[in-house]
Amino acid sequence: MTLLQSPTFLIALIILILGIIVVAKGLVIVRQSEVMVIERLGSFNRLLESGINFIIPFIDQPRAITMIRYTRSGEDYIPISSTEARIDRRETVMDFPGQPVVTTDNVTVRINGALYFQIIDPRAAVYEVENVSQAIEVLAKTTLRSVVGKMELDRIFESRSEVNDKIQAAMDEPSNKWGVRITRVEVQDIHMPEEVEDAMRLQMAAERRRRATVTEAEGEKSAAIARAQGERESAILNAEGDKEATILRAQGEQESIKLVLEALGNDIDDKRTVVGYLLGQTYIKTLPDMAKNGERVFVPYESSALLGSMGMFRELSGTPEDVARAASATNSTVGRAAMGGAAFGS
């Protein structure tokens, strides 16, 4: 009898083969960010973390989890269901199909959303819910309808971040019971009926026209204010110029009167003579304007006397000796001027 035919050798060989099978079946290598739920005789036993683990074959069995993922083909979403013994702890994105939602202003829109979640408690994800991915999807859809249904259409476009935050806050409590953490929710696309889009385009065009009109009116207002301010400043400058010119003219006349008084004297008769001289100058300046619009000019009698007195004042422009002689002969000169004026009046 050979060694290969001995019963002892055959039994040892069978035991060795069974040992290899047991080791091969019991040795489990779990990759990073993965975990396995192990049941022993149908009851939860432990979790296998990343690394090398050993289980008892045929007694310890991994509990699988059901996941549903969508594959997008054009505008359609194709669901793919899979049963996985290894639970992925990484953040997972769920891009579920768009859902019809009715807003508070009775507009039916179709909203596509994306959901990001992460399994933080694999035991709860396996034992607390039958299909964790389906439960998350249904919860996201119902929460989306509930949140958006309380808002108007314009507000949805203006505050997408607010919608995302409200959906995430509403999903936190039930998802925590399933061992899932909702990291964020994003509203991707909002599809509206064509008539609503046309109305919004018309509203946008009207709003732009209104803004253009308001901007134009504000520009005209600013231009009118600037013109008024310019005219005001110009009038103030002109008035100040006229004031200074009038003051200078008055000062000049005052100086001229003083010079004439100093040349003639400070008696009452001398002052009357100066007044007559000034009135004569005024008449002389006015006569050319008086003769513009007519052929005949009526000169008052008193003005002829004043015109006669101008001959005396012209003598003041001579030498100092002539001024002195003219000052001494003032009374006789006024008499002659009066006689000449009377002759002129006749």
Side-chain angles (χ1 to χ4, degrees), residues 20-319:
I20 294 173
I21 293 174
V22 168
V23 172
K25 288 289 186 179
L27 187 63
V28 179
I29 298 176
V30 181
R31 292 181 295 181
Q32 186 69 30
S33 72
E34 289 183 350
V35 67
M36 295 179 66
V37 178
I38 301 300
E39 293 180 343
R40 177 168 293 178
L41 299 177
S43 299
F44 173 77
N45 181 258
R46 68 183 188 276
L47 296 176
L48 298 185
E49 301 292 342
S50 59
I52 300 175
N53 299 273
F54 185 80
I55 62 175
I56 301 175
F58 311 109
I59 296 178
D60 295 341
Q61 296 291 333
R63 179 66 180 266
I65 187 173
T66 304
M67 299 293 293
I68 297 178
R69 294 179 175 86
Y70 287 92
T71 300
R72 191 168 183 176
S73 177
E75 297 295 332
D76 300 329
Y77 288 81
I78 302 174
I80 299 175
S81 179
S82 61
T83 302
E84 302 173 358
R86 299 172 183 267
I87 300 175
D88 196 342
R89 281 184 167 179
R90 294 176 297 178
E91 187 174 4
T92 306
V93 59
M94 178 184 293
D95 188 5
F96 53 87
Q99 300 298 312
V101 181
V102 180
T103 61
T104 55
D105 47 355
N106 296 325
V107 178
T108 302
V109 295
R110 191 174 186 85
I111 300 178
N112 293 338
L115 179 68
Y116 296 83
F117 67 93
Q118 184 179 11
I119 297 176
I120 57 176
D121 188 356
R123 179 179 178 181
V126 171
Y127 293 107
E128 297 295 335
V129 63
E130 179 184 2
N131 190 326
V132 64
S133 60
Q134 184 180 10
I136 293 173
E137 178 186 352
V138 174
L139 179 62
K141 292 178 180 179
T142 55
T143 307
L144 178 64
R145 292 193 184 100
S146 176
V147 172
V148 176
K150 298 177 183 179
M151 304 175 66
E152 296 182 355
L153 182 61
D154 294 339
R155 188 181 173 189
I156 296 174
F157 286 101
E158 294 174 357
S159 55
R160 287 196 180 188
S161 59
E162 180 181 354
V163 176
N164 299 336
D165 295 339
K166 287 184 177 180
I167 296 175
Q168 181 176 351
M171 294 181 65
D172 278 341
E173 183 178 354
S175 63
N176 289 335
K177 180 182 177 182
W178 303 331
V180 177
R181 181 177 63 189
I182 306 298
T183 56
R184 62 182 181 275
V185 180
E186 298 291 341
V187 175
Q188 295 181 349
D189 299 324
I190 301 176
H191 301 281
M192 299 173 295
E194 293 183 359
E195 58 272 13
V196 177
E197 291 184 1
D198 295 338
M200 292 185 67
R201 279 193 289 268
L202 293 175
Q203 181 181 2
M204 180 180 60
E207 178 66 18
R208 289 181 177 177
R209 287 195 297 269
R210 185 190 69 81
R211 291 180 181 178
T213 303
V214 171
T215 303
E216 184 178 359
E218 290 179 352
E220 293 178 356
K221 175 183 176 182
S222 301
I225 292 173
R227 286 195 297 269
Q229 290 178 349
E231 293 176 357
R232 175 177 175 274
E233 293 177 359
S234 177
I236 291 173
L237 292 177
N238 291 333
E240 291 178 353
D242 294 340
K243 175 184 176 182
E244 293 178 359
T246 303
I247 292 173
L248 292 176
R249 286 195 297 270
Q251 291 176 352
E253 292 177 358
Q254 181 182 6
E255 294 295 331
S256 63
I257 292 172
K258 287 182 180 180
L259 292 175
V260 173
L261 288 176
E262 289 177 358
L264 296 178
N266 293 324
D267 297 337
I268 299 300
D269 295 335
D270 296 333
K271 293 180 179 180
R272 290 177 180 176
T273 304
V274 172
V275 171
Y277 169 72
L278 295 176
L279 290 175
Q281 279 188 331
T282 305
Y283 274 117
I284 291 174
K285 293 178 180 179
T286 308
L287 283 177
D289 296 331
M290 295 171 60
K292 285 182 180 179
N293 299 324
E295 296 179 355
R296 297 181 181 182
V297 177
F298 295 93
V299 181
Y301 177 79
E302 291 80 2
S303 65
S304 63
L306 292 173
L307 291 173
S309 67
M310 296 301 297
M312 178 194 69
F313 287 100
R314 280 196 296 269
E315 296 177 359
L316 296 176
S317 60
T319 62

